Amino acid sequence: MPTLGIDLGGTNARAAVVDGQGKILASAKMALTERSPEAVVESIAQAAAEAVSLAGVPVTGCGVGAAGQIPGNSGVLAVAPNLGWRNVPLGALLSARLGMPVRLVNDLAAAAWGEFNAGAGRGAPDVYVAFVGSGVGSCIIANGQLVRGSGGVAGELGHTKVIPGGRRCGCGELGCLEAYCGGHNLIGLTRELLASGRSPVLNELTAGVAERITPLTLERAAEAGDPAAVEIHSRAGKMLGMAISNMITVLNPARLILGGGVLMNCPGLRRAVVEGIQALTSNTAREGLLIAEAELGDDSGLIGAALLG
Ligand SMILES: [Zn+2]
């Protein structure tokens, strides 16, 4: 029986009706014009109603992937920075509004579950998924099960420490991997470099306009040989390569799935990660490891949420 998948971002709610094989039958999207929990629930319900009506089939349950921390199976979004929420019982609110059971999971877990079932992870029971987008996150699937951890926050690769007492991360702590490698921070570091006037190549690439900077701008400046850009870019590649390699050595997955906007759009960083893995994983953990790229793009979270629902 098909289920409903919801991908709740900071600006849109997307809904899809998905069959048991992970195929999207119909989907719809609503912009979040207001971010109060009641208004967001209403936007989700409207997107859901449209998707169900387009699919023309009944659905039996609903899964929601949302950016933020969700303790265990509480259905509560404890911290959701995109929405400015704290301790919102979204699962219960949405279940009452939709009249069906709702399972709430972290957006990355939903995306990983989608890739595991219907994308690059098919056929492998032990999968590690690393996403580098505006933030850095990962998800562990062991023996075909999502590993959530006792507090529901397992897999927080972005907040593993790479430099004790280093740069401040968005989480408030110091020296996290994300503070050096997350897209948001790469843009920040590149803007600082542009403002410092130490990078003529960067100045040329952006015509001095900081708003034009993306992680790919940094990569282009590094490829053009700009020493200051090379320093930031190669540090990010090395740190990501080492952090992911260490997870491979610890977990010994059959498959590593790489995804997220930064890794997908910056081939140089992706190459650095793959080279890091070749050089830094233990030989025994690397045997039989297959490195794959995420296949489902923006739909992975929708599909995974539906399959969890
Ligand atoms: Zn952090």
Side-chain angles (χ1 to χ4, degrees):
M1 192 75 121
T3 51
L4 195 54
I6 309 289
D7 180 11
L8 178 60
T11 49
N12 290 300
R14 296 170 68 214
V17 176
V18 175
D19 73 12
Q21 280 69 51
K23 182 166 173 271
I24 292 180
L25 305 178
S27 64
K29 182 162 97 172
M30 285 291 293
L32 302 177
T33 46
E34 207 199 309
R35 288 192 176 75
S36 71
E38 295 72 22
V40 168
V41 165
E42 201 45 46
S43 297
I44 293 174
Q46 284 179 25
E50 193 182 332
V52 170
S53 146
L54 285 169
V57 290
V59 290
T60 51
C62 172
V64 182
Q69 290 178 12
I70 299 152
N73 291 321
S74 62
V76 174
L77 254 177
V79 184
N82 288 344
L83 295 163
W85 289 3
R86 278 192 175 265
N87 297 318
V88 173
L90 181 63
L93 292 172
L94 201 55
S95 179
R97 176 64 178 78
L98 297 177
M100 66 176 85
V102 170
R103 183 164 174 199
L104 180 66
V105 296
N106 172 269
D107 58 344
L108 192 64
W113 194 246
E115 288 290 341
F116 171 66
N117 282 283
R122 270 175 309 210
D126 294 290
V127 176
Y128 183 60
V129 185
F131 275 78
V132 184
S134 55
V136 177
S138 78
C139 186
I140 303 153
I141 294 164
N143 295 323
Q145 304 284 320
L146 265 182
V147 175
R148 312 279 303 277
S150 66
V153 295
E156 289 274 13
L157 181 70
H159 306 293
T160 55
K161 303 299 179 274
V162 287
I163 304 224
R167 270 174 69 82
R168 188 167 298 278
C169 176
C171 73
E173 294 169 15
L174 298 175
C176 296
L177 179 68
E178 185 169 302
Y180 298 90
C181 308
H184 194 67
N185 283 291
L186 285 175
I187 290 170
L189 286 161
T190 311
R191 285 184 176 186
E192 282 167 28
L193 179 58
L194 179 68
S196 76
R198 288 193 299 125
S199 174
V201 173
L202 200 54
N203 205 39
E204 209 172 288
L205 284 173
T206 59
V209 182
E211 287 69 29
R212 291 194 185 159
I213 289 172
T214 68
L216 188 58
T217 320
L218 172 69
E219 183 155 308
R220 294 222 164 107
E223 279 167 359
D226 187 275
V230 166
E231 197 181 312
I232 299 173
H233 183 267
S234 93
R235 178 178 69 185
K238 282 181 185 153
M239 283 179 171
L240 281 172
M242 182 177 288
I244 296 172
S245 293
N246 287 343
M247 293 304 294
I248 299 299
T249 299
V250 169
L251 296 169
N252 184 210
R255 207 163 294 176
L256 165 68
I257 301 177
L258 298 175
V262 170
L263 282 185
M264 292 297 103
N265 295 322
C266 300
L269 275 180
R270 198 163 65 238
R271 202 162 47 240
V273 169
V274 173
E275 284 168 6
I277 290 162
Q278 305 300 346
L280 300 172
T281 47
S282 77
N283 288 332
T284 43
R286 194 168 59 250
E287 255 172 49
L289 174 73
L290 191 75
I291 304 175
E293 285 175 18
E295 287 177 6
L296 302 174
D298 284 348
D299 291 337
S300 58
L302 268 179
I303 293 169
L307 292 175
L308 285 164

